RNA sequence: GCCCACGUGGUGGAAUGGCAGACACACGGGACUUAAAAUCCCGUGGGAGGCAACUCCCGUGUGGGUUCGAAUCCCACCGUGGGCACCA
């Protein structure tokens, strides 16, 4: 009973198999693997005399859930490009590896007691099997994983170089702490949410805590990270996000002396031209000078306010909580321009972490200052008027205009006034031109087990570098993975590892997951090198002249991985390890694939598409083709399981152009393939297809390339004979998309070599230029007729021909033709008026 | 609030100043078959007229503009998605 039901199901599965993908796909995967077809040649090896092409995927974190259709989209696109470029004669580097440190494996270990290494290995094996089943042409001899000591040795090495040059340091600062994950997180790993800030991973609530942590001085590279965005071909939206994140603003630092004290408060402003309108100062409540400046009679109120602010969460401090608060310090500062006494306040709308932690308030020209001044009855002095009005505006005006009531600035437009004021400040020695960035230093330590140990030993309260010869500092084995209560890292429990005989203690924090992914694209170039992270020869060959030629991945890393990696790359450039200022020349983001219901794929919606079932039912070539046929690569698009039928039927049609099935269900090459030249209209459509597919591949417009191949195949299906000279180029054109099927047909046509390095077909320009064209004839811009005539027709001939056509005559009859627009080879437009 | 994308049939999309809807899904009809599946062929934006081949009108979020001609360029608005948000 049971077995007959199984037989029945198998019979159905067998019946719906339109071509034997289940046999040919594993076959060709085995051949590619055994013959090492996709090994890329390093300098000195045969093949390295070709020009190089480096096409890179964002390597995955091997999660327990396996690959999803979104991964497959990006990986299929990059694989198509890799296969295409090989056929165009490039030595293609197309590697894959594993971003294998990270929180999920560690959380799983805490829950189950299974070592993260074991889960990670298991997940990697699963990912690799899925990737191989898709037929991707990776050079597996270059596979890397970030958890490998031979790899993280060099992650630690880079950290040491940063440390030596003062770019890695320990500081106590208010940092984001996540109680659920029991670790600190970087600014870039925090997301806003209606309930307040949450962690990027897991969406747990996070809070500010003052802690001593390792920081990387990414701010030292702010200017170059900003300026060099002009060197790369990235989506404008990603560049813009990085620009906003870096947040450069030009202005002036101005010192305000405090009346009766020997101190002054420095403020940063982008509007030095409004200095004459500065009617009070505001310091951040945490500003170090607050206690010194506060008058005795205000001290109680000020301290109470400071405590109140310290208790507030960041959410409460943000504008969502409504009105502004603050208290006066009772003291006065001197406005260096107007010489006026102006009061000094503290308020939590001024942040200690930006600029100097103090501002000059110009309520007439800043919305926030205006709101505060109105609330506390502080004076408002207008010093800029709009360019189109002679009067200063009644309320706050924050735009650019003309300076007024500002003595030596009067009459100057804002831009000029800023320059004049900065010159004046510099001359008087009370201020100077300054550039500020929103970017903060990168919080680099985590209180977790499953990460790279820091190569640092503490002696007498000082951090010392572990000698490079002792790298890697190995992550010790553990059975217990929970972080200690109170923010101590798990490694601190590993006494025999932490405590050194000479009294030194190892650093017990580990690096964040981003560390390993900051430079992995360099290790692929020379993955087994034990002397250096990459040999200079391999680096110059693969990274020259502009770095990775094409980098495909998700947009979610816009200000995380992509900013961090640029920072490390620029540092490695400065110390001579790499030869290009930017790592990734051309970046393309694949769009998110939504569930069938149009919502984001998620467990809670139950709309996640598992690729394994699709591969069984349709085969890898169909899944690859369909992923590309969904729509433009960069666009967000919904999945459609029904839609798979189209590409599947298309591949089966291609198969049947070459193969035929006998009575026993065996497929054999069709006898009677013509070796003659195909008719002109068939050759013409073939060469149009060659041209279109080639152009579209260069632009990564895969879905339109597929559509064109469908047009060609539909035309061939209608023919009674098939021609070898048409089928061969078609198979080559299709092979980057559906490599297994094409390899099988290629060998069925008698070819003995893999087509992976076969020469890409070239379009014959003579066949593209058609002599006849279909001309469109318009009357007043509306199509009223068409005619087939020579493409080369001149204006007069074309017009005369068109006028003779009855459908056109009818429209012109009795009207006056005022003008005739002529587009050679394409179109005529008669502009007619009433009679 | 500010910045950036995007808006086209029942659906995914094509066309980026010159034939709107290529290609595909879905749907409908037909051929083959004892039957079904598969395959192949035909139709498929809306409306009006005609027995018919066909003809005309409307139509690319909404309103305006530029142009002989606009899905495409410009202005305003509406909607969707993403990013930033007291950064002085």
């Amino acid at each position: 009973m049971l077995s007959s039901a199984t037989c029945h199901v198998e019979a159905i599965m067998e019946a719906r198999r339109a071509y034997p993908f289940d046999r040919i796909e594993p076959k060709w995967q085995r051949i590619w693997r055994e013959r090492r077809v996709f090994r890329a040649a390093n300098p000195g090896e045969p093949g390295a005399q070709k020009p190089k092409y480096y096409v890179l995927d964002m390597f995955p974190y091997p999660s327990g859930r396996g690959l999803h259709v979104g991964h497959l989209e990006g990986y299929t696109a990059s694989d198509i490009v890799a296969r295409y470029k090989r056929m165009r004669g490039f030595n293609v580097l197309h590697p894959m590896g594993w971003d294998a440190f990270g929180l999920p494996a560690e959380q799983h270990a805490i829950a189950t007691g299974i070592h993260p290494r074991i889960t990670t290995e298991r997940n990697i094996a699963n990912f690799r099997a899925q990737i191989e089943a898709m037929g991707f042409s990776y050079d597996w001899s270059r596979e890397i994983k970030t958890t490998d000591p031979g790899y993280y040795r060099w992650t630690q090495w880079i950290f040491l170089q940063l440390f030596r040059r003062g770019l890695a340091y320990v500081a106590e600062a208010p940092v984001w702490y996540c109680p659920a994950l029991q670790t600190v997180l970087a600014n870039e790993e925090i997301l806003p949410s209606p309930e307040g800030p949450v962690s990027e991973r897991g969406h747990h609530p996070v809070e500010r805590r003052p802690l001593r942590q390792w920081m990387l001085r990414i701010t030292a590279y702010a200017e170059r990270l900003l300026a060099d965005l002009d060197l790369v071909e990235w989506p404008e939206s990603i560049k813009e996000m990085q620009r906003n994140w870096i947040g450069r603003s030009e202005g002036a630092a101005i010192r305000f002396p405090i009346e009766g004290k020997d101190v002054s408060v420095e403020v940063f402003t982008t509007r030095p031209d409004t200095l004459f309108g500065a009617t009070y100062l505001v310091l951040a409540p945490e500003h170090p000078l607050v206690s010194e400046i506060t008058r005795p009679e205000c001290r109680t109120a000020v301290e109470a306010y400071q405590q109140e602010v310290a208790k507030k969460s960041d959410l409460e401090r943000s504008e969502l909580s409504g009105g502004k608060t603050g208290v006066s310090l009772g003291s006065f500062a001197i406005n260096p321009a107007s010489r006026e006494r102006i009061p000094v306040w503290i308020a939590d709308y001024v942040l200690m972490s930006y600029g100097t932690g103090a501002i000059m308030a110009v309520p007439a020209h800043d919305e926030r200052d205006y709101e505060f001044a109105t609330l506390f009855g502080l004076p408002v002095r207008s010093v800029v008027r709009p360019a189109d009005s002679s009067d200063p505006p009644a309320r706050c005006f924050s735009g650019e205009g003309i300076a007024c009531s500002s003595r030596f600035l009067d009459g100057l437009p804002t831009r000029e006034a800023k320059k004049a004021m900065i010159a004046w400040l510099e001359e008087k020695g009370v201020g100077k031109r300054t550039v500020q960035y929103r970017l903060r230093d990168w919080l680099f330590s985590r209180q977790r087990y499953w990460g790279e140990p820091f190569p640092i030993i503490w002696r007498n309260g000082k951090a010392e570098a572990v000698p490079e010869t002792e790298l890697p500092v190995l992550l010790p084995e553990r059975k217990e993975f929970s972080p200690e209560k109170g923010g101590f890292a798990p490694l601190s429990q590993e006494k025999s590892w932490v405590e050194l005989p000479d009294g030194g203690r190892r650093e017990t924090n580990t690096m964040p997951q981003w560390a390993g992914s900051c430079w992995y694209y360099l290790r692929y170039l020379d993955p087994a090198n034990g002397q250096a992270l990459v040999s200079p020869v391999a680096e110059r060959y693969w990274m020259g002249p502009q770095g990775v030629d094409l980098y495909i991945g998700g947009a979610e890393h816009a200000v995380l991985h992509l900013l961090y990696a640029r920072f490390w790359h620029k540092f490695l450039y400065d110390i001579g390890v790499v030869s290009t200022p930017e790592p990734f020349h051309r970046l393309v983001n694949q769009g998110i694939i939504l569930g069938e219901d149009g919502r984001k794929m998620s467990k809670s919606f139950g709309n996640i598409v598992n690729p394994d079932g699709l591969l069984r039912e349709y085969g890898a070539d169909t899944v690859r083709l369909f992923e590309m046929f969904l729509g433009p690569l960069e666009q967000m698009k919904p999945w459609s399981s029904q839609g798979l039928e189209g590409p599947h039927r298309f591949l089966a049609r291609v198969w049947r152009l070459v193969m035929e099935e006998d009575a026993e269900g065996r497929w054999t090459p069709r006898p009677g393939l013509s070796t003659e030249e195909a008719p002109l209209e068939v050759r013409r459509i073939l060469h149009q297809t060659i041209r279109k597919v080639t152009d579209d591949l260069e632009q990564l417009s895969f879905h339109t390339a597929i559509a064109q191949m469908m047009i060609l195949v539909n035309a061939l299906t209608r023919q009674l004979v098939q021609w070898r000279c048409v089928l061969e180029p078609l198979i080559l054109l299709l092979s980057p998309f559906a490599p297994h099927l094409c390899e099988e047909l290629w060998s069925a046509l008698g070819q003995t070599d893999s087509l992976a390095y076969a020469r890409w077909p070239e379009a014959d320009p003579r066949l593209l230029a058609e002599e006849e064209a279909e001309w469109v004839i318009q009357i007043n811009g509306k199509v009223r007729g068409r005619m087939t005539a020579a493409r080369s027709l001149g204006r007069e001939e074309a017009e005369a021909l068109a006028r003779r056509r009855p459908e056109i005559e009818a429209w012109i009859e009795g009207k006056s033709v005022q003008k005739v627009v002529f587009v050679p080879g394409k179109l005529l437009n008669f502009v007619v008026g009433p009679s």
Side-chain angles (χ1 to χ4, degrees):
Chain A
M1 179 72 184
L2 221 163
S3 68
S4 80
T6 312
C7 279
H8 181 63
V9 168
E10 274 170 7
I12 289 172
M13 294 286 289
E14 195 62 45
R16 50 163 298 102
R17 204 154 285 158
Y19 70 95
F21 59 83
D22 55 318
R23 187 175 55 74
I24 64 178
E25 290 184 355
K27 170 185 159 186
W28 284 98
Q29 286 159 17
R30 199 189 65 242
I31 292 173
W32 294 330
R33 190 170 53 239
E34 285 171 359
R35 297 193 196 157
R36 298 165 170 247
V37 170
F38 302 118
R39 253 185 69 118
N42 255 30
E45 296 169 16
Q49 72 286 353
K50 295 187 207 170
K52 67 91 190 186
Y53 191 85
Y54 188 177
V55 48
L56 180 67
D57 289 299
M58 289 185 184
F59 68 164
Y61 172 77
S63 75
R65 261 168 284 155
L67 284 172
H68 52 76
V69 290
H71 283 124
L72 296 183
E73 184 191 18
Y75 296 167
T76 302
S78 65
D79 194 62
I80 289 168
V81 173
R83 288 175 178 274
Y84 165 68
K85 289 286 178 182
R86 279 189 205 102
M87 295 172 79
R88 296 302 298 253
F90 288 88
N91 181 24
V92 171
L93 179 57
H94 188 43
M96 182 43 77
W98 315 104
D99 191 13
F101 277 129
L103 282 177
E106 187 166 355
Q107 296 294 82
H108 186 256
I110 293 167
T112 62
I114 300 170
H115 196 288
R117 176 170 296 110
I118 294 168
T119 17
T120 303
E121 283 303 328
R122 200 158 56 204
N123 293 346
I124 287 176
N126 183 33
F127 265 61
R128 197 191 294 111
Q130 285 184 302
I131 285 175
E132 287 203 300
M134 285 292 289
F136 295 139
S137 62
Y138 294 117
D139 177 355
W140 287 109
S141 72
R142 296 171 185 264
E143 179 182 6
I144 56 171
K145 57 173 188 266
T146 55
T147 49
D148 194 329
Y151 181 89
Y152 69 68
R153 168 185 178 180
W154 298 105
T155 311
Q156 292 174 336
W157 182 86
I158 297 169
F159 175 83
L160 279 187
Q161 312 312 309
L162 288 160
F163 178 67
R164 292 240 172 76
R165 286 162 182 81
L167 294 170
Y169 62 96
V170 174
E172 172 148 347
V175 297
W176 290 109
Y177 180 80
C178 177
L181 300 173
Q182 291 178 288
T183 182
V184 296
L185 295 167
N187 292 330
E188 290 80 5
E189 293 172 298
I190 307 303
L191 298 174
S193 86
E195 290 78 40
V198 296
S199 64
E200 188 239 351
R201 257 193 205 279
H203 291 242
H204 306 292
V206 294
E207 58 196 48
R208 282 288 199 185
R209 282 193 191 176
L211 288 168
R212 273 177 72 77
Q213 296 292 330
W214 282 96
M215 310 289 283
L216 296 189
R217 216 178 291 282
I218 190 171
T219 52
Y221 283 77
E223 189 59 48
R224 285 162 64 191
L225 287 169
L226 183 69
D228 288 357
L229 285 172
D230 293 339
L231 303 179
V232 295
E233 262 178 52
W234 288 17
E236 202 46 45
S237 60
I238 300 281
K239 287 191 184 186
E240 202 53 32
M241 275 195 248
Q242 291 214 349
R243 286 192 194 107
N244 291 338
W245 191 261
I246 295 165
R248 181 184 201 272
S249 46
E250 276 182 40
I254 305 175
R255 276 208 318 282
F256 285 71
I258 300 300
E259 187 185 64
K261 300 262 184 198
D262 199 18
V263 293
S264 56
V265 171
E266 191 172 66
V267 305
F268 173 73
T269 177
T270 54
R271 292 296 299 270
D273 60 303
T274 63
L275 179 53
F276 283 97
T279 52
Y280 61 101
L281 290 190
V282 188
L283 277 57
E286 310 88 339
H287 196 288
L289 288 177
V290 169
S291 127
E292 190 178 344
I293 297 172
T294 305
R295 304 273 296 193
E297 64 272 22
C298 298
R299 190 159 299 276
T300 321
V302 166
E303 283 171 2
Y305 182 72
Q306 285 178 314
Q307 273 167 28
E308 193 189 316
V309 169
K311 270 190 297 193
K312 277 192 197 175
S313 70
D314 272 56
L315 178 65
E316 290 166 319
R317 261 185 91 155
S318 83
E319 61 179 329
L320 296 171
S321 62
K324 292 192 164 37
T325 60
V327 292
S328 168
L329 301 184
S331 51
F332 289 86
I334 306 299
N335 182 323
S338 66
R339 310 304 302 167
E340 274 178 302
R341 295 169 78 230
I342 59 172
V344 183
W345 287 62
I346 56 172
D348 66 1
Y349 81 92
V350 174
L351 308 174
M352 193 57 226
S353 52
Y354 183 76
T356 59
I359 61 155
M360 64 178 209
V362 186
H365 304 292
D366 182 285
E367 303 283 351
R368 297 151 302 180
D369 298 344
Y370 183 81
E371 188 193 335
F372 192 79
T374 314
L375 191 62
F376 292 103
L378 292 156
V380 179
R381 178 156 312 137
S382 212
V383 292
V384 182
R385 61 178 169 82
D388 54 3
S389 142
S390 55
D391 306 313
R395 296 173 64 86
C396 178
F397 168 63
S398 56
E400 303 210 331
I402 310 292
C404 58
S405 311
S406 295
R407 303 216 304 252
F408 56 89
L409 299 181
D410 284 354
L412 292 177
T414 299
R415 191 180 281 263
E416 268 38 69
K418 283 183 184 177
K419 280 191 202 143
M421 179 53 89
I422 288 170
W424 185 87
L425 290 167
E426 287 179 345
E427 185 196 318
K428 299 281 172 195
V430 291
K432 59 177 193 294
R433 200 187 93 91
T434 308
V435 176
Q436 278 291 336
Y437 301 91
R438 204 189 76 110
L439 183 69
R440 308 291 149 81
D441 276 343
W442 175 13
L443 177 79
F444 195 67
S445 41
R446 299 290 182 274
Q447 291 72 56
R448 304 297 306 213
Y449 167 67
W450 194 232
E452 299 88 347
F454 280 74
I456 291 288
I457 292 166
W458 290 91
R459 289 196 178 89
N460 308 318
K462 273 195 64 186
E464 291 179 10
V466 170
E468 281 176 25
T469 50
E470 290 174 27
L471 296 182
V473 175
L474 290 173
L475 183 64
E477 283 299 316
R478 276 185 68 71
K479 294 209 170 60
E480 201 29 65
F481 309 102
S482 300
E484 288 277 86
K485 294 281 173 279
F488 291 107
L491 287 182
S492 61
Q493 298 164 307
E494 211 51 46
K495 297 277 182 276
S496 62
W497 181 80
V498 173
E499 290 166 10
L500 300 179
D502 65 355
R505 291 177 60 84
R506 287 190 191 278
E507 169 65 50
T508 57
N509 282 306
T510 53
M511 298 186 197
Q513 195 181 346
W514 311 107
S517 58
C518 264
W519 70 281
Y520 73 107
Y521 57 94
L522 294 171
R523 192 60 178 171
Y524 287 135
L525 314 181
D526 196 8
N529 194 324
Q531 313 308 310
L533 68 85
V534 58
S535 82
V537 175
E539 192 280 328
R540 276 197 301 274
Y541 176 72
W542 288 115
M543 292 296 285
Q546 293 179 303
V548 173
D549 297 280
L550 178 63
Y551 193 21
I552 297 184
E556 66 274 17
H557 296 117
V559 290
L560 288 158
H561 160 63
L562 288 170
L563 189 65
Y564 296 150
R566 292 182 63 221
F567 162 42
W568 277 34
H569 192 88
K570 287 186 179 307
F571 170 71
L572 293 174
Y573 177 70
D574 289 348
I575 64 171
V577 175
V578 299
S579 56
T580 63
E582 283 289 329
F584 315 121
H585 180 65
R586 182 172 178 205
L587 172 74
V588 172
N589 298 123
Q590 83 267 24
I592 297 171
I593 295 187
L594 304 171
E596 204 128 9
D597 51 6
R599 295 186 293 185
K600 213 168 190 162
M601 277 197 200
S602 115
K603 222 190 263 176
S604 58
F605 295 142
N607 59 356
I608 295 181
V609 178
N610 180 344
D612 294 344
L614 298 173
L615 285 174
R616 261 195 309 280
E617 196 175 348
Y618 293 98
D621 285 333
T622 298
V623 173
R624 291 169 62 111
L625 202 66
F626 177 62
E627 290 252 4
M628 296 298 99
F629 194 60
L630 272 177
L633 178 62
E634 302 194 53
Q635 189 173 301
M636 178 189 288
K637 42 205 176 282
W639 183 263
S640 154
S641 290
Q642 257 181 351
L644 274 150
E645 291 292 344
H648 192 61
R649 286 201 274 254
F650 164 71
L651 290 180
R653 268 205 291 276
V654 174
W655 176 260
R656 290 194 308 267
L657 288 177
V658 183
M659 310 294 278
E660 65 178 18
E661 198 173 16
D662 64 18
E664 277 86 56
R666 277 192 303 262
W667 289 99
T668 49
R670 262 165 70 144
L673 269 190
S674 169
T675 50
E676 318 256 296
E677 190 163 75
L680 184 64
E681 68 270 20
V682 172
R683 279 189 294 146
R684 188 161 272 157
I685 209 169
L686 169 69
H687 283 262
Q688 282 164 350
T689 304
I690 294 172
R691 214 246 308 250
K692 175 90 175 130
V693 171
T694 308
D695 290 352
D696 285 351
L697 280 175
E698 294 289 345
Q699 287 162 56
L700 311 185
S701 180
F702 303 113
H703 64 306
T704 50
I706 295 166
Q708 179 63 39
M709 288 189 278
M710 286 174 168
I711 291 171
L712 171 61
V713 170
N714 288 346
L716 292 179
T717 307
R718 280 190 280 271
Q719 304 285 331
L720 295 173
V721 237
Q722 297 303 331
W723 300 269
R724 182 175 269 276
C725 62
V726 176
L727 293 180
E728 283 183 353
L730 166 63
I731 288 165
L732 294 177
L733 290 179
L734 182 60
S735 69
F737 298 84
H740 311 87
L741 172 102
C742 292
E743 288 272 24
E744 184 69 18
L745 294 181
W746 191 244
S747 81
L749 287 177
Q751 303 281 351
T752 46
D753 267 349
S754 162
L755 52 59
Y757 295 90
R759 208 189 160 93
W760 188 254
E762 258 177 68
D764 183 345
R766 283 168 310 179
L767 288 166
L768 295 175
E770 293 181 56
E771 282 127 48
E772 298 274 282
E774 187 166 67
W775 291 72
V776 171
I777 308 162
Q778 298 182 331
I779 307 293
N780 288 339
K782 284 199 156 91
V783 181
R784 296 300 181 189
R786 47 198 88 212
M787 61 181 185
T788 307
R791 185 176 286 277
S792 57
L793 238 48
R795 175 187 283 270
E796 283 73 26
E797 305 152 287
E799 192 180 324
L801 269 176
R803 276 177 183 272
R804 275 204 294 275
R805 300 188 72 84
E807 73 269 24
I808 298 306
E809 254 180 331
W811 283 97
I812 296 176
E813 182 103 64
K815 309 242 175 67
S816 64
V817 176
Q818 291 157 356
K819 184 177 169 185
V820 180
V821 180
F822 173 72
V823 182
K826 274 189 179 167
L827 172 140
L828 279 171
N829 184 15
F830 291 87
V831 183
V832 303
S835 58

